[in-house]
Amino acid sequence: MKKIQFKIIVLIAITMLLNACDSVKRVAQNQHLLTKNTITINGESVTNDTISSLFYQKPNSRLPIPFTTIPLKLYIYNSARPNIDSVLNARFYSNPKKMARKSKLLSRKQLDKYLDSKKSFNSWLKRTGEAPVIIDTALTNKSLVRIENYYKTNGWFNATADYKINKGDDKKATIDYTIQTKNAYKFDTVASHIKSPVVEKIYNQFKDQSLIKSGSQYRINNVYNEADRIVELMRDNGVYHFSQDYIEFEGDTIFGTNKMNIETIIENRLIREEDVSRREPFKIFKVKDVNIYTNSSFKNRNQSTNDTTYYDGYNIYSIGKLKYKPRALTNSVFITPNTVFKDKNRPLTSRKISDLRTFKYPNITYVENPDTTLTANIFLTPLKKFELEFSAEALQSNIQTIGFSINPSLLIRNVFNAAETLEISGFTSIGSSKDASNIKDQFFDINEIGANLKLTIPRLFSPFNTEKIIPKYMFPSTRLTVATSSQTNIGLDKQTFTGSFNYRWYPNNTITNKLDLFNIQFVKNLNTANYFNVYDNSFDSLNEIAQTSGFINSSQNLGIPTQANNFLDQVASGSYNTILSNDDIDTVNAINERKQRLTEDNLIFATSFSFTKDRRDNLGDEDFSIFKSRLELAGNFFSLTSKVLGLQKNANGKYEMFNVAYSQYAKVELDYIKHWSLGYKNVLAFRTFFGIAIPYGNSTNIPFSKSFFAGGANDNRAWSAYNLGPGSLETSNEFNEANLKIAISAEQRFNLFGPLNGAIFVDTGNIWNVFDDIEQDEATLSGFDSLKDIAVGSGFGLRYDFNFFVLRGDIGFKTYDPSYPIGNRWFNDYNFANAVYNIGINYPF
């Protein structure tokens, strides 16, 4: 408790010291530093980010940390000298004695560089900091004009704004803005006057979608958006020549009321011919012909097409023999022959063709024909059929002193002449083990090799017609992946094989659906005898119990693997239990259960469906939400096959396929992320996650690769990865995992200066075992009472924004640690010595 009180006192002292800095150091005698803007709307004091953003002058930015009002950037700026050149000249160049003294230590060239460095640092302080915001009445009056214009463009035509400057004797001042909105104007009569019959017909057909409705408040943005809606509506219904220039809105206020009438006026088409212009009613255009040119590169500009294919109404032209199946091309084109012109089909076609990864971005043009029809020309430029990439890296990890890897990959486009892409990649690596103790062993004793094949088909590959269920505007695709790898002297040494067949489609701009029709994973452990050399924490616990119980001499260690396995077997069979305490028996059995689970081979045959709803408008959006959900079912196909074939269960009561007991489980994951923009590059980010995997049928637990873990740079940052939980269990296992997880995190992000940002965060959550064969009470979720074991971590971090990625460093402190006894869980290890330091790329959520 004394340590906590000391830390609080130090924190308060530092805060008071920073607040004591002279914020008006660079403010002239007749000037005042703006410290606060207040807003009063219709007699009520409010905090309104929309109105605040209209001010031409805002107070210097402050660190958004609770209980502090530190204008850090202002202090940085104030620490710079405003007249650094004259100061340096007076101190050095105009001081012969000082120059002579410095010249004994530095040459004139070195001295000049030294002084230049001081100037550069002074300039950096100015650039990084913020100059004091000095109240300027001219800018304040401009703010009033902007505020009144904002209200008038949103229906408050009679709104007025005023301000009052409150000046203090300390060269600081605040500005009070007072706004009277009065009553807002609403639409009364909404009418239209449209001269072209075809335009009027389309307008009336979709009139209920209008953004201007009787009784709604006048807002200028709704008027602008209505104009955009009308243009989009007309051009997607055949009115080829329509544009916003033909739309006009006339409004008329009703005297003595807060109502106004508005009329939408749409003129006929304006046609200019030489010096004469005339107006004619708009006409509906149809697309008559669609021409696809497959070799429109610059080098082929003077060559003529010599291969013409007519398919499903499309004309396909090629220089030389056509290299693409016609259906693959037409399936990517949304512009359909002999249909009404729809402007939205052009960007859809461009996106679909670009997604093929076979052509460059297409050029699409329309040519007007004399008979009120259009000819669409689509010019495609093929990319090279083969693309070879090669990468190499040097690496270091907790199992190797140094390692090297190479990763070649080959991309083959249009592999089956239907715009499919095949990616063949491989990797190989060698490394030197940190545990290599025999000097006769080769230096590079670690190696890994693997290969991966990925075939992408730009449509749903299915024997059934899926166009009505998942039409092509959802950009469906199919991906078939096969991969294998082999590891030697890495952990237990493994051979893995994975294969998947999945569909992906996008119902709209925010939703992504993915269906893994099947995903098969086979993992074979080649060196299970090495288990206790890898998981040495488990071995240390087992060895200590063996020594204290007399199984081995206290000066000896268990032999690996024979003696260690023999000890486990004797405890499991009960032949040695009379010597051990109940706690020791539980510990040994837990070690044995974990060893069996991590050394067994895995066979997983799963089907899953993922749904993602991402409301981000773009990568720079700071106010959005993301919801992800995933359902995975494994083992059901093998279970049905085993019963149909009449297979017999093994000694453990499990069916086997390919001599491996297959896994059977159901897994659900729910992930929700929400960001709120607080203005001034200040964002509050929130994330909640829930996941559960329930074994059944052929399984009593979840494979390690499918279980959940807690801790790490993107989870609870006060614990390192795999180091938290399960539950309140205090374990020394290297990798702690379970089959249920709850996580909730909140983080406030703010700008410090330039590309450097800061953050404060709170992470909560834990993992538990549930509905499986784990019997330890501390690790099992037994009900709502177990939620008291949710761990809490808090901390702060820095982020440096490189534009294309963010380098992140976080320091997490264990705030509430469930591994301690109840009543003594808060702030036990809340210090830098026990903090966890995380480095990551981009934000955690």
Side-chain angles (χ1 to χ4, degrees), residues 381-647:
T381 302
L383 294 168
K384 292 182 179 179
K385 186 175 183 65
F386 299 96
E387 183 177 321
L388 180 64
E389 292 185 355
F390 184 89
S391 63
E393 63 178 342
L395 47 94
Q396 185 182 31
S397 70
N398 60 336
I399 64 170
Q400 58 184 350
T401 304
I402 190 171
F404 302 94
S405 69
I406 56 174
N407 304 275
S409 64
L410 175 66
L411 175 65
I412 307 175
R413 296 185 173 91
N414 196 36
V415 63
F416 298 122
N417 296 329
E420 305 93 345
T421 57
L422 176 65
E423 296 178 65
I424 305 173
S425 60
F427 69 90
T428 181
S429 64
I430 57 174
S432 176
S433 171
K434 287 185 175 181
D435 296 329
S437 57
N438 188 346
I439 60 175
K440 295 182 179 180
D441 286 347
Q442 57 184 355
F443 180 74
F444 290 111
D445 58 339
I446 292 176
N447 65 78
E448 185 174 6
I449 188 170
N452 182 53
L453 277 75
K454 181 168 64 178
L455 176 67
T456 302
I457 304 171
R459 59 190 176 279
L460 290 189
F461 185 75
S462 169
F464 311 105
N465 186 0
T466 59
E467 176 64 24
K468 292 183 178 180
I469 303 173
I470 305 176
K472 66 179 182 180
Y473 75 80
M474 294 185 181
F475 297 91
S477 63
T478 305
R479 179 170 293 179
L480 176 65
T481 304
V482 178
T484 184
S485 66
S486 177
Q487 301 174 346
T488 303
N489 289 342
I490 302 177
L492 304 180
D493 298 345
K494 293 182 179 181
Q495 286 181 345
T496 63
F497 172 83
T498 59
S500 66
F501 184 92
N502 63 64
Y503 298 128
R504 190 187 301 264
W505 67 97
Y506 309 86
N508 55 48
N509 291 332
T510 63
I511 294 177
T512 301
N513 291 324
K514 181 184 175 184
L515 173 64
D516 272 13
L517 204 59
F518 71 81
N519 189 317
I520 187 168
Q521 178 180 343
F522 174 73
V523 179
K524 183 175 181 61
N525 294 299
L526 304 176
N527 189 11
T528 57
N530 197 41
Y531 178 83
F532 283 118
N533 289 322
V534 177
Y535 300 93
D536 48 11
N537 287 341
S538 296
F539 175 75
D540 290 343
S541 298
L542 185 70
N543 190 63
E544 182 180 356
I545 295 174
Q547 289 175 337
T548 56
S549 66
F551 186 81
I552 58 174
N553 192 289
S554 59
S555 62
Q556 297 177 335
N557 290 324
L558 285 169
I560 299 175
T562 305
Q563 198 172 21
N565 289 338
N566 185 29
F567 183 50
L568 290 175
D569 292 340
Q570 289 193 37
V571 175
S573 64
S575 60
Y576 198 74
N577 289 9
T578 57
I579 303 175
L580 300 177
S581 66
N582 290 333
D583 289 342
D584 286 342
I585 294 173
D586 290 342
T587 300
V588 174
N589 287 334
I591 293 173
N592 192 25
E593 181 275 333
R594 180 176 172 82
K595 175 179 177 292
Q596 292 177 3
R597 199 158 76 85
L598 296 185
T599 57
E600 67 181 1
D601 298 334
N602 293 132
L603 177 61
I604 304 170
F605 190 95
T607 298
S608 66
F609 177 76
S610 301
F611 171 87
T612 301
K613 189 167 188 176
D614 189 341
R615 294 183 178 273
R616 280 178 295 188
D617 292 330
N618 51 65
L619 292 177
D621 191 1
E622 295 181 339
D623 201 325
F624 64 88
S625 65
I626 301 175
F627 174 72
K628 299 178 182 178
S629 61
R630 187 171 185 270
L631 171 64
E632 179 178 337
L633 300 174
N636 295 330
F637 176 76
F638 281 164
S639 177
L640 180 62
T641 303
S642 299
K643 294 176 181 178
V644 171
L645 296 179
L647 299 180

Side-chain angles (χ1 to χ4, degrees), residues 173-191:
T174 62
I175 302 178
D176 297 334
Y177 289 91
T178 304
I179 303 167
Q180 293 293 331
T181 64
K182 302 181 182 177
N183 293 326
Y185 275 75
K186 297 182 178 181
F187 293 119
D188 186 39
T189 301
V190 178

Side-chain angles (χ1 to χ4, degrees), residues 18 87 115 159 299 322 369 408 486 755 763 804:
L18 288 172
V87 171
L115 297 179
K299 68 177 182 179
L322 182 64
N369 302 318
S486 177
D763 298 325
F804 52 94

Side-chain angles (χ1 to χ4, degrees), residues 98-309:
K98 198 166 189 176
M99 285 294 292
R101 189 166 60 252
K102 287 288 184 181
S103 298
K104 293 180 181 179
L105 301 174
L106 302 171
S107 66
R108 179 56 182 260
K109 185 176 181 180
Q110 290 174 325
L111 180 59
D112 289 341
K113 286 186 176 180
Y114 169 73
L115 297 179
D116 285 341
S117 67
K118 293 182 75 69
K119 293 179 184 178
S120 298
F121 181 68
N122 196 76
S123 299
W124 179 84
L125 290 174
K126 287 185 175 182
R127 292 194 309 270
T128 304
E130 283 182 354
V133 179
I134 307 300
I135 289 182
D136 185 336
T137 54
L139 293 178
T140 308
N141 285 315
K142 289 180 67 175
S143 296
L144 292 185
V145 174
R146 184 183 278 183
I147 292 170
E148 290 179 352
N149 287 338
Y150 166 80
Y151 278 100
K152 288 175 182 178
T153 57
N154 283 280
W156 290 280
F157 296 155
N158 300 316
T160 59
D162 200 359
Y163 70 88
K164 178 185 177 183
I165 299 177
N166 307 303
K167 298 179 180 179
D169 296 334
D170 54 356
K171 294 196 291 187
K172 297 179 182 179
T174 62
I175 302 178
D176 297 334
Y177 289 91
T178 304
I179 303 167
Q180 293 293 331
T181 64
K182 302 181 182 177
N183 293 326
Y185 275 75
K186 297 182 178 181
F187 293 119
D188 186 39
T189 301
V190 178
S192 62
H193 179 65
I194 303 173
K195 295 186 178 180
S196 296
V198 295
V199 173
E200 184 178 24
K201 181 180 179 181
I202 297 170
Y203 177 87
N204 289 332
Q205 185 178 353
F206 297 93
K207 191 174 182 179
D208 59 329
Q209 298 178 7
S210 175
L211 303 177
I212 301 176
K213 299 181 182 296
S214 178
S216 64
Q217 184 172 327
Y218 170 85
R219 297 186 186 276
I220 191 64
N221 282 342
N222 285 347
V223 177
Y224 292 149
N225 292 336
E226 174 65 6
D228 293 338
R229 185 192 73 87
I230 294 173
V231 172
E232 182 178 343
L233 178 65
M234 297 304 157
R235 290 188 59 81
D236 283 342
N237 283 275
V239 190
Y240 176 68
H241 292 287
F242 197 85
S243 68
Q244 202 170 91
D245 296 336
Y246 296 104
I247 305 173
E248 182 181 352
F249 296 97
E250 287 190 357
D252 184 23
T253 58
I254 303 175
F255 182 76
T257 68
N258 293 303
K259 296 181 180 180
M260 65 179 299
N261 300 325
I262 190 168
E263 184 177 29
T264 303
I265 301 173
I266 301 179
E267 295 286 346
N268 280 331
R269 178 190 170 193
L270 179 64
I271 302 174
R272 292 186 176 90
E273 295 176 347
E274 296 181 355
D275 296 333
V276 179
S277 62
R278 70 180 190 279
R279 288 191 178 272
E280 290 183 358
F282 283 98
K283 296 178 181 179
I284 300 295
F285 277 71
K286 288 188 176 182
V287 177
K288 183 178 181 181
D289 298 310
V290 180
N291 302 321
I292 303 174
Y293 298 88
T294 62
N295 309 87
S296 63
S297 61
F298 181 77
K299 68 177 182 179
N300 295 330
R301 64 191 183 281
N302 296 323
Q303 297 188 40
S304 57
T305 58
N306 50 24
D307 188 358
T308 303
T309 302

Side-chain angles (χ1 to χ4, degrees), residues 806-845:
V806 174
L807 180 63
R808 171 169 55 93
D810 291 319
I811 303 177
F813 301 93
K814 295 177 177 63
T815 309
Y816 178 88
D817 190 345
S819 66
Y820 283 91
I822 294 177
N824 186 36
R825 293 181 171 183
W826 289 98
F827 302 107
N828 279 301
D829 298 313
Y830 202 85
N831 51 59
F832 284 98
N834 292 289
V836 174
Y837 298 83
N838 301 280
I839 296 178
I841 301 297
N842 295 328
Y843 292 105
F845 52 88

